[in-house]
Amino acid sequence: MDRDSHDLQDRSSILGALGYFTHGVYIVGTRRGRQHNAMTASWVMQTSERPPAVAVAIKNDRYTHDLALETGTFSLSVLGEDQVNAATYFAETSGEYHEKFVGVPFGLTPSGSPYLLDCLAYLDCRILDTARAGDHTVMVAEITAADTLTHDVPLTYDPSEYEQALS
């Protein structure tokens, strides 16, 4: 087997194994002045209890990436298991060209980031640090405010429900 074939087989094996990782599905909300933007993300995890903090991996070419870094804040809306359509909607197009919140009920966190009113819970986050990770930036953020809006089962990422990766 030549090296290129071996590398492709290794990549396929790696991606296959990663397909068994479990992820929740979230909406990352950001803003620039009066413009509100959001994207779907699944690479999110808690990183600290004191202070409460999370890490979010956002692809470097996403519009939300630049807005979050510019403002230093973002929100996370935790989606319920019946919100696949919301996850798909916020993953479909860039907020750079389309106002995603038209007709979508949303509120603003204390720092001004938008969150979905029909989500399970939201977190208001202030970026503490960043790290490059391949084609993504990992944003480590302190949770400065949060609220639980309803008690339900969170949405878990299933790649078969989406046309493209949601990170």
Side-chain angles (χ1 to χ4, degrees):
M1 175 182 303
D2 67 17
R3 179 152 179 89
D4 287 341
S5 296
H6 187 264
D7 287 347
L8 286 175
Q9 181 181 4
D10 284 349
R11 179 167 169 73
S12 177
S13 296
I14 291 168
L15 293 177
L18 286 173
Y20 289 103
F21 273 47
T22 55
H23 308 276
V25 182
Y26 311 87
I27 303 300
V28 177
T30 59
R31 66 179 167 77
R32 174 183 280 143
R34 297 176 136 195
Q35 178 192 15
H36 299 105
N37 186 57
M39 63 167 270
T40 304
S42 61
W43 294 350
V44 176
M45 65 179 250
Q46 182 177 346
T47 60
S48 174
E49 185 177 338
R50 291 191 180 129
V54 293
V56 178
I58 299 178
K59 197 166 184 184
N60 297 331
D61 65 356
R62 299 289 190 247
Y63 184 58
T64 301
H65 173 276
D66 294 342
L67 291 181
L69 291 177
E70 182 180 309
T71 63
T73 61
F74 62 86
S75 66
L76 285 172
S77 296
V78 182
L79 297 181
E81 69 179 346
D82 62 344
Q83 293 186 291
V84 171
N85 288 342
T88 302
Y89 172 76
F90 283 99
E92 285 181 340
T93 185
S94 173
E96 187 172 11
Y97 309 109
H98 175 74
E99 176 53 57
K100 293 185 177 185
F101 281 101
V102 171
V104 176
F106 71 97
L108 298 177
T109 65
S111 72
S113 296
Y115 70 91
L116 301 182
L117 290 177
D118 62 350
C119 68
L120 301 182
Y122 76 83
L123 306 174
D124 193 11
C125 303
R126 181 178 55 86
I127 298 172
L128 299 173
D129 203 357
T130 62
R132 293 286 296 224
D135 59 356
H136 283 64
T137 298
V138 177
M139 299 179 193
V140 178
E142 179 179 4
I143 303 165
T144 58
D147 196 9
T148 300
L149 306 177
T150 187
H151 298 279
D152 204 349
V153 177
L155 179 60
T156 303
Y157 177 70
D158 177 353
S160 69
E161 293 178 325
Y162 306 95
E163 291 181 23
Q164 60 185 0
L166 300 179
S167 53

